[in-house]
Each structure stands twice: as structure tokens, then as C-alpha cells.
Amino acid sequence: MDSGSVASLLFEAASLMLIGMVFVFSFLGLLIVGIHLIARFCEAFPGETAEPPAHLKEPSANLSRNNQAVQPGIDGNVIAAISAAIHTHRQNSKK
């Protein structure tokens, strides 16, 4: 292999690398500009925000002793039974 072909291959590799880096840099620059344009558009024309559900407006009113939300259709005895079963399972699995 002569030195002329190696030099031309290295020049071709360097030029391809430079073209690739310019392409990636340009793409990322356009992406940043696009994100800024979208942010300005959203600031200029804010949409209507959805109102949170009623059970999330006052979470302290619907919390049980264990900081778990109580659903209106579930009986307290069922929650106590499930909690006891989980506690028993955890105690048995430690042994």
C-alpha cells in the first residue's frame, strides 16, 4: 500500500467526520430553536388547564390512618382484613 492512497483515505475519513459533525450540530441547533419557538408559542397562547378531580382537591379529607385514600365503595372491614393479611404474610415470609 503506498502512502498516497493512505493519505487520500485519511483525508476522506476526516472530511466524512467533519460533514457528520456539522450535520449533527446543525440538527441539534435546529432542535433547540424549535423547542424555544414552541415554548414561546405556549406562553403566548396558553391552553385551558383541566380542573383536578374532586377527590384530589382536598386530599386530607379523604385520607385514612395509613395515609391511603379511602374509596367511597369499599368497606372499612375489608380494608382491615386486607391489611391484616398483608401483615401476616410479611411476618411469615421473614422466617
Side-chain angles (χ1 to χ4, degrees):
M1 201 176 228
D2 63 73
S3 63
S5 65
V6 172
S8 69
L9 287 175
L10 286 174
F11 178 73
E12 186 177 349
S15 64
L16 283 174
M17 181 183 69
L18 184 64
I19 291 170
M21 290 175 72
V22 167
F23 180 76
V24 168
F25 183 77
S26 301
F27 176 76
L28 292 176
L30 286 173
L31 189 65
I32 290 171
V33 169
I35 289 172
H36 283 289
L37 288 175
I38 291 173
R40 285 188 183 169
F41 178 79
C42 290
E43 287 174 356
F45 303 105
E48 295 180 15
T49 57
E51 201 170 303
H55 70 277
L56 293 178
K57 287 183 182 177
E58 296 179 20
S60 60
N62 292 332
L63 291 181
S64 69
R65 194 177 60 187
N66 295 330
N67 293 333
Q68 297 172 346
V70 176
Q71 296 180 358
I74 298 177
D75 186 23
N77 292 332
V78 173
I79 294 174
I82 293 172
S83 298
I86 291 172
H87 178 71
T88 304
H89 173 72
R90 287 182 180 165
Q91 291 298 322
N92 290 339
S93 65
K94 286 183 181 179
K95 293 179 182 178

